[in-house]
Every structure is written in structure tokens, then in C-alpha cells.
């Protein structure tokens, strides 16, 4: 079956811009005609990306492998133009092979194409053979429009909360003060990213003969003190990155984009052999005595600030590396409003939360994972070997009809069928799990010159995902790691799981009908590598870098300083509430949810948050909740609310936020 036939019946509901989404293959135009002089995916023309000593991405000439001796085209198919039928082998491109399972090679990618073939044979992108009308999808063609000049910059500035920079109608005092505070905390590279987009938008508006907005430097000019403070911080960061920090250490106290700028400007910086290979280093985060901040540890108000800062920082990081990101313009889509498969993630969670309040990950996905694990993770080929297509289709119908009623016979579900249903659930999402808005950036991560910068970019991208996507992705990569932990029995290594799951996570609905085979081939290894990084470094990716938390603290402190009128009224109350005990080594810990309302703690250099929780449980035997659901919170001062890492050194944190209150309470669901 030709690619053109393959795409029949596929309805595009979540696709935006295929040319913007895909890496450009030299010499090949991205067209809708899929019957071009391209080779098959399994023995196709492909490019090998290498990195020069300056960190720039270099693409070697395409390599066209010869068919195996004695091979012939499939019956009924005609040879493609340009197909090399000569049995004489061509030299393979330079590729650093590695015997470690930390390395991908052409043999390891074989499972990728098998998975792609299985997806096609099982009913295109849907996999269950259902017709669009049956699935609640739109039956109408969608008009695709590339963003007009300036639209991308406007959308970016609005997402960053800086619409005031281009729209004078938003001249609200509160909005302006918020923008001033936000801009005053930006680093040099972050500010450059903002200024670059404002300047580009100004030029676009001038071309449209519209009144251009005032220059960002004229509206929100940093104070001299802020500049001096930033310069000192930048110089400190430069020393940390260049002189002290080994390559496998992650410095989260200095802006990632600042570190990238220092790397780029370093005259003696060269890539080590490990940087041009695809082995994965053992990164570690340098110890922070004020504690690590994980996703979910901050209040929603502070997380809103985090996302604004992360957007600017991520953009600055790619700008510094010279990697251009284009965000496709969103299209209106019509999707199912109920059911299990093909339902938007947010809609699915809404219907789940009506049955189980506090649900953060779709119940059907949790149930499938529990069933697969209940059958044992030692099964050979788990996730790789597909279930029986007809049986998977029938089970899908049964689940749609009886899952919430509790009548589905889980004991009859085969393990490989359950794994196929899990993959079906992921690729049936109307929009990709990594979101269309950020898919370009995920794919572009591998264009960054070092593994460290790639990991830093992934960290920022994970933080930008909506909560539902973030939580669901976390549950999936944790499950993948548990599968990998049984690799001696199930033969599913990190590489095997990554190459099998990559097509399901990146080739979303309508994707393959809009790309050429060579574009698909060029993406294969890249997407598999992104999945490898997500699984391998999941413990690092779902944390908020300290420099971002520090910027949030500064914004909170700046905002509080501008509320002089309110602070005067509450001065006495605030002073009495925030004043530490006479002995600065003492803190008062409150626990209003429990019978022991408060206790006074003597601080030492080694006292950690976990030690306080232990003392609390010893002194209040009436507490019925488990230790793992309790957390010591830092509340007030320069942070709204933060659940503390148990390894947080309290004396160091008190110096950072002397006005905070300390409260023990159960973790919020």
C-alpha cells in the first residue's frame, strides 16, 4: 500500500504546520507529494548530524544504502525513481558505534520502523480502525495558516505576561508594575530575548504602517543598581561555569542561557569525544542547602511566575545557541467530549475528577499501567511486541462501553494487548502529549551543542507543559523506567523502550499524512533520543532550577516593597508575626491540622527539614497520617508557599527567607 493510500481516511484534528514542525533536510523540499524519489524508511536516505568544534550542527551528505543482494521490490510495487539497484555496497557514513546500551545505532532503530509499520497496519494513526464520525472527530477539512508576521512575537509576549510592551490599551497600573518587577529580575540573556522579540514586532508594525509601541528600554529601564547587581552575578556565574564546574555537574544557581553564552564565548572550549557520541553521562545537581524544588512544591501563584520566567529562559537558551524556534499557529479542532480514546487530556481529566476528585492522571491510563505491572514486567518484548490487532480493537470497544461501570473483565486482558492499548491511548490524543506548541522545541533540543545544554532545555520544556501533560508524562516515564529495570528478563533496555515509544509520542494524529518519508527518517533517531533523555534524566527534569526560584523570590520581594500603603496598615501585625524569636537560632513550627499545634525548634548547622518532621511525629503520637504524606512548608516572606525537600538545611533557608513561617501539613492531592 502506498503512502498516499495509507493516509486515506486520516482526519487531521491536531496538526498545525508540517514545515515548521520538521527539521529541514538539505536538498529536499517538504511537499505534499509523498511519491517522490525517496527510499523506504527501513533502507532509506538519511543524514548523520555531527558537531564541529565550535558547537555548530553539521549535516553530512545523504547516504543511500544499497539493497541486500538478491532483494527485490515487493510484489505489485514499482521501483522508485532514483533507487539504486546496484548490488555494489556504498560506504556507510561515519557513525560512532558503541557497545553500550547508552548508544543508539542503525540496528537499534529497527524496532522504531517496526512500530511505525504496526501503527500503519493497525489502522493509520487511530490504530483501532474506527471511522472519524464514530470517534467524534470533525469530518471537515481544516485550513492551515502559517503565523503572519508579528503574530508569533505577539503570542510569545502575551504568554510571558508582557503584552503591555506592544499594546498601549493595557496601560493598567497593576499590569505595568507587574511588568516592571518581572523585567527587573531578568538576566542579561533573558532580557536580550525579550528585547529581540519586541524589536522584531516593532519592525513588523512599522511595515504595516501602524503606530509602533514604545521601546522596551524606554518603558522599563533597569535601575543602575540592578545592572551592577546583574553584572556581579554574571561574573560570578562565569567563574563557576568555566573554572569550577566539571562537565557532569549541573549548576542550577546560574541561568542556563548565561552558562550557554559563556560556553559560546569561551575561546578554548572544544567538544570532547563524548559530546559527539550519543552516550548519556551521569549528570548530578550540585548540592543546594536551601533544598531542591520539585514540580508541585510551589503555590499556583508562584508557579505562574515560574512559567513566565521559564518561557523567557528557554527562548534565551535557544537564542544563545543560534537555534530558531517557530511555533505553529493554533487551529480550531473538534474533538470527542466523552469516552476514553481520542479525548483531549483536559476533558478526560474533568470527567475522571467527577468520579475521583483530585485525579491528576487519566484513570484509564493508570489502570492499564497497573494491569501490565500486575502481570509481571519480566515478559520478553514488553511494549515492543504488539497485541493481536483484532483483539485490541474489540477490547477498545469494550472499554469504551463498560470501563466506568466497572464491568470490564480485566482478568481476560492479555499483557501485550494492554501494552498496545497504552500506546494507542497516547497516540490517539487529539493533540500530542508534548503539545503542538512545544513540539518544535522538543525536536530542536538535539541541535544544542552539548548534552548538558540539551538536558537543561528539556528541563525547561517539561516545566512549560500544562499540568495535565506534565503529570501524565511523568507517570509514563516512571513506568518506562520500571520496565527497563527488568531488562535482564524482558530484553527491553533504555534504547528498546525509547525507539518503540518515540513514534507513539511524536507521530500524532495526521502527522504521517503530512510528511515525506525522508523527513520522517531524519526525525527517527532524534525523537528516539529525546525519549531516551526524558526517561534517563526524569529525576532532574521535574525539578525547578534554583535560579528560577531565586527570581521568583525577588519578584515577590519587589512586589511587597511596592505595597507600601498596605504594609503601613499591617506593619505592626507583620512585624510581630514575622519577627524571629529573640534567639535567632530558634524557629516556631506550626501544625494547625494536628493536635500538637506548634513547637519551638533549636536550629543547628546540620538540622534538616526531615529531622523536624521526625520530631513532630515523635511528640504527637495521635497523628494518623503516614510520614510520606507530610511536608514542612515555607510560607510567606519572599515565597508564597513551598513544600520543603527533606534534605533542606533549615538554618541556611532561614537566612534566605527570615520572614517565613514554618507549617507542617499533609500534602495536597
Amino acid at each position: 500500500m502506498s503512502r498516499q493510500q495509507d493516509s486515506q481516511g486520516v482526519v487531521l484534528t491536531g496538526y498545525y504546520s508540517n514545515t515548521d514542525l520538521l527539521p529541514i533536510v538539505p536538498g529536499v523540499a517538504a511537499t505534499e507529494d509523498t511519491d517522490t524519489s525517496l527510499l523506504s524508511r527501513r533502507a532509506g536516505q538519511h543524514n548523520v548530524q555531527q558537531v564541529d568544534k565550535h558547537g555548530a550542527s553539521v549535516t553530512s551528505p545523504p547516504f543511500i544504502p544499497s539493497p541486500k543482494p538478491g532483494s527485490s521490490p515487493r510484489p505489485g510495487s514499482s521501483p522508485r525513481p532514483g533507487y539504486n539497484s546496484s548490488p555494489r555496497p556504498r560506504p556507510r557514513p561515519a557513525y560512532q558505534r558503541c557497545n553500550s546500551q547508552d548508544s543508539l545505532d542503525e540496528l537499534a532503530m529497527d524496532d522504531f520502523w517496526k512500530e511505525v509499520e504496526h501503527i500503519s497496519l493497525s489502522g493509520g494513526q487511530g490504530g483501532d480502525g474506527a471511522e472519524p464520525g464514530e470517534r467524534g472527530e470533525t469530518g471537515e477539512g481544516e485550513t492551515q495558516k502559517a503565523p503572519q508576521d508579528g503574530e508569533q512575537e505577539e503570542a510569545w509576549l502575551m504568554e510571558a505576561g508582557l503584552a503591555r510592551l506592544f499594546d498601549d490599551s493595557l496601560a493598567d497600573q497593576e499590569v505595568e508594575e507587574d511588568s516592571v518587577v518581572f523585567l527587573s529580575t531578568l538576566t542579561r540573556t533573558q532580557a536580550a530575548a525579550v528585547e529581540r522579540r519586541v524589536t522584531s514586532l516593532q519592525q513588523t508594525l512599522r511595515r504595516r504602517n501602524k503606530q509602533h509601541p514604545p521601546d522596551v528600554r524606554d518603558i522599563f529601564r533597569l535601575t543602575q543598581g540592578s545592572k551592577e547587581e546583574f553584572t556581579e552575578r554574571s561574573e560570578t556565574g562565569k567563574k563557576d561555569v568555566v573554572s569550577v564546574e566539571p562537565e557532569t555537574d549541573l549548576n542550577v544557581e546560574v541561568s542556563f542561557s548565561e552558562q550557554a553564552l559563556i560556553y559560546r564565548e569561551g575561546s578554548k572550549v572544544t567538544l570532547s569525544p563524548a559530546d559527539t557520541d550519543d552516550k548519556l553521562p551521569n549528570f548530578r545537581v550540585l548540592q543546594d542547602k536551601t533544598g531542591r524544588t520539585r514540580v508541585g512544591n510551589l503555590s499556583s501563584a508562584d508557579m505562574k511566575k515560574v512559567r513566565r520566567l521559564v518561557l523567557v529562559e528557554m527562548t534565551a537558551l535557544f537564542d544563545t545557541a543560534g537555534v530558531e524556534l517557530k511555533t505553529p499557529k493554533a487551529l480550531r479542532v473538534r474533538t470527542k467530549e466523552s469516552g476514553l480514546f481520542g479525548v483531549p487530556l483536559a476533558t478526560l481529566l474533568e470527567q475522571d475528577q467527577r468520579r475521583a476528585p483530585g485525579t491528576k492522571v487519566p484513570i484509564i491510563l493508570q489502570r492499564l499501567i497497573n494491569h501490565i505491572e500486575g502481570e509481571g514486567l519480566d515478559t520478553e518484548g514488553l511494549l515492543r511486541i504488539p497485541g493481536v490487532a483484532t483483539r485490541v480493537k474489540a477490547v477498545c470497544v469494550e472499554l469504551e462501553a463498560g470501563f466506568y461501570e466497572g464491568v470490564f473483565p480485566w482478568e481476560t486482558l492479555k499483557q501485550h494487548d494492554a501494552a498496545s492499548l497504552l500506546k494507542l491511548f497516547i497516540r490517539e490524543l487529539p493533540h500530542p502529549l508534548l503539545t503542538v506548541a512545544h513540539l518544535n522545541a522538543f525536536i530542536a533540543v538535539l541541535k544544542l551543542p552539548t548534552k548538558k545544554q540539551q538536558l537543561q532545555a528539556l528541563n525547561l520544556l517539561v516545566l512549560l507543559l500544562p499540568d495535565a501533560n506534565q503529570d501524565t508524562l511523568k507517570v509514563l516515564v516512571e513506568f518506562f523506567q520500571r520496565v527497563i529495570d527488568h531488562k535482564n528478563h524482558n530484553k527491553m533496555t533504555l534504547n528498546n523502550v525509547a525507539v518503540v515509544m518515540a513514534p507513539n509520542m511524536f507521530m500524532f494524529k495526521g502527522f504521517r499524512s503530512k510528511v515525506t518519508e525522508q523527513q520522517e527518517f531524519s526525525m527517527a533517531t532524534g525523537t528516539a533520543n529525546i525519549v531516551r533523555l526524558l526517561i534517563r534524566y526524569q529525576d532532574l527534569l521535574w525539578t525547578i532550577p534554583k535560579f528560577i526560584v531565586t527570581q521568583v523570590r525577588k519578584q515577590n520581594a519587589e512586589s511587597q516593597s511596592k505595597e507600601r500603603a498596605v504594609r503601613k496598615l499591617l506593619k505592626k501585625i507583620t512585624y510581630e508575626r514575622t519577627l524571629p524569636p529573640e534567639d535567632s537560632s530558634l524557629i516556631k513550627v506550626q501544625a494547625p491540622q494536628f493536635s500538637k499545634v506548634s513547637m519551638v525548634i533549636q536550629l543547628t548547622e546540620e538540622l534538616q527539614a526531615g529531622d523536624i518532621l521526625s520530631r513532630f511525629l515523635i511528640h504527637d503520637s495521635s497523628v494518623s497520617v503516614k510520614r510520606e504524606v507530610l511536608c514542612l512548608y515555607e510560607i510567606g516572606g519572599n515565597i508564597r508557599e513551598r513544600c520543603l525537600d527533606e534534605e533542606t538545611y533549615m538554618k541556611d533557608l532561614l537566612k534566605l527567607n527570615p520572614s517565613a513561617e514554618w507549617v507542617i501539613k499533609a500534602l495536597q492531592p
Side-chain angles (χ1 to χ4, degrees), residues 5 67 106 205 276 292 339 343 346 370 392 495 535 602:
Q5 292 171 318
E106 295 174 36
L205 294 179
T276 56
R292 293 174 65 182
V343 181
N370 291 339
V392 170
N495 286 350
I535 299 173
Q602 175 75 45

Side-chain angles (χ1 to χ4, degrees), residues 585 602-608 615 649-652:
S585 64
Q602 175 75 45
L603 296 182
T604 64
E605 295 293 337
E606 301 300 322
L607 184 72
Q608 298 179 337
R615 294 186 191 182
Y649 287 84
M650 297 302 301
K651 200 163 188 176
D652 292 270

Side-chain angles (χ1 to χ4, degrees), residues 515-534:
V515 300
T516 65
E517 289 186 348
Q518 188 164 350
Q519 287 173 323
E520 188 178 50
F521 196 100
S522 68
M523 287 181 63
T525 304
T527 56
N529 269 311
I530 295 300
V531 178
R532 293 169 71 221
L533 294 173
L534 288 171

Side-chain angles (χ1 to χ4, degrees), residues 8-25:
Q8 290 179 357
V10 175
V11 177
L12 179 61
T13 64
Y15 189 78
Y16 289 51
S17 171
N18 60 300
T19 54
D20 286 341
L21 184 67
L22 297 170
I24 298 175
V25 182

Side-chain angles (χ1 to χ4, degrees), residues 45-278:
Q45 182 175 345
H46 63 282
N47 304 305
V48 177
Q49 294 250 330
Q50 296 179 334
V51 182
D52 65 14
K53 66 179 181 178
H54 301 293
S57 177
V58 179
T59 305
S60 63
F63 164 63
I64 306 180
S66 302
K68 296 179 181 179
S71 64
S72 60
R74 290 180 296 177
S77 64
S78 58
R80 296 190 178 190
Y83 186 85
N84 181 14
S85 58
S86 171
R88 181 170 57 88
R90 292 174 179 266
R92 291 186 176 272
Y95 192 97
Q96 294 191 2
R97 293 291 294 267
C98 179
N99 294 327
S100 167
Q101 285 297 338
D102 280 343
S103 178
L104 281 176
D105 55 26
E106 295 174 36
L107 182 62
M109 289 303 297
D110 188 55
D111 286 339
F112 182 99
W113 301 117
K114 288 180 180 178
E115 184 69 18
V116 172
E117 184 178 2
H118 167 67
I119 293 173
S120 299
L121 294 176
S122 61
Q125 297 300 316
D128 60 358
E131 294 297 325
E134 299 172 3
R135 304 172 58 79
E137 299 169 0
T138 177
E140 303 173 356
E142 297 280 359
T143 302
Q144 299 184 35
K145 293 177 63 178
Q148 296 180 1
D149 288 346
E151 285 186 339
Q152 182 167 310
E153 288 79 7
E154 285 186 15
W156 188 91
L157 288 167
M158 290 184 66
E159 188 177 354
L162 297 173
R164 170 68 180 88
L165 297 182
F166 68 89
D167 190 346
D168 289 334
S169 66
L170 299 176
D172 177 82
Q173 181 68 21
E174 184 177 349
V175 172
E176 186 164 344
E177 287 184 357
D178 176 74
S179 297
V180 171
V181 170
F182 181 82
L183 291 170
S184 70
T185 62
L186 298 184
T187 66
R188 171 180 47 174
T189 48
Q190 291 172 351
V194 173
E195 188 172 349
R196 186 176 293 111
R197 274 136 195 90
V198 172
T199 301
S200 175
L201 183 57
Q202 288 174 349
Q203 295 171 350
T204 300
L205 294 179
R206 289 191 186 100
R207 287 196 299 269
R208 295 179 189 170
N209 296 321
K210 293 184 179 180
Q211 183 178 5
H212 63 84
D215 194 299
V216 62
R217 292 167 295 183
D218 296 333
I219 305 177
F220 304 118
R221 190 176 300 277
L222 295 178
T223 64
Q224 185 65 29
S226 299
K227 290 182 178 180
E228 292 174 355
E229 179 185 355
F230 167 72
T231 303
E232 181 180 352
R233 185 169 64 247
S234 299
E235 292 301 321
T236 302
K238 181 179 293 188
K239 292 178 183 178
D240 289 343
V241 175
V242 176
S243 304
V244 178
E245 183 189 2
E247 184 61 25
T248 52
D249 286 341
L250 291 177
N251 187 337
V252 294
E253 297 188 10
V254 178
S255 162
F256 294 158
S257 55
E258 287 294 317
Q259 296 182 48
L261 180 62
I262 294 167
Y263 174 89
R264 191 188 72 185
E265 293 176 347
S267 58
K268 296 183 179 180
V269 174
T270 57
L271 291 178
S272 65
D275 290 317
T276 56
D277 194 8
D278 58 357

Side-chain angles (χ1 to χ4, degrees), residues 496-568:
N496 298 138
V497 172
V499 298
V500 166
M501 293 310 304
N504 294 282
M505 294 176 67
F506 282 89
M507 296 184 180
F508 55 96
K509 278 175 171 289
F511 174 84
R512 298 191 65 224
S513 63
K514 291 292 178 180
V515 300
T516 65
E517 289 186 348
Q518 188 164 350
Q519 287 173 323
E520 188 178 50
F521 196 100
S522 68
M523 287 181 63
T525 304
T527 56
N529 269 311
I530 295 300
V531 178
R532 293 169 71 221
L533 294 173
L534 288 171
I535 299 173
R536 175 70 172 79
Y537 299 118
Q538 57 185 277
D539 289 340
L540 302 176
L541 297 178
W542 269 261
T543 61
I544 303 172
K546 183 180 180 180
F547 73 88
I548 293 289
V549 178
T550 299
Q551 288 180 289
V552 170
R553 290 184 186 275
K554 289 183 178 180
Q555 289 184 30
N556 288 336
E558 288 288 334
S559 298
Q560 290 172 6
S561 68
K562 294 182 181 297
E563 299 171 359
R564 293 187 178 92
V566 176
R567 293 181 67 186
K568 285 180 180 179

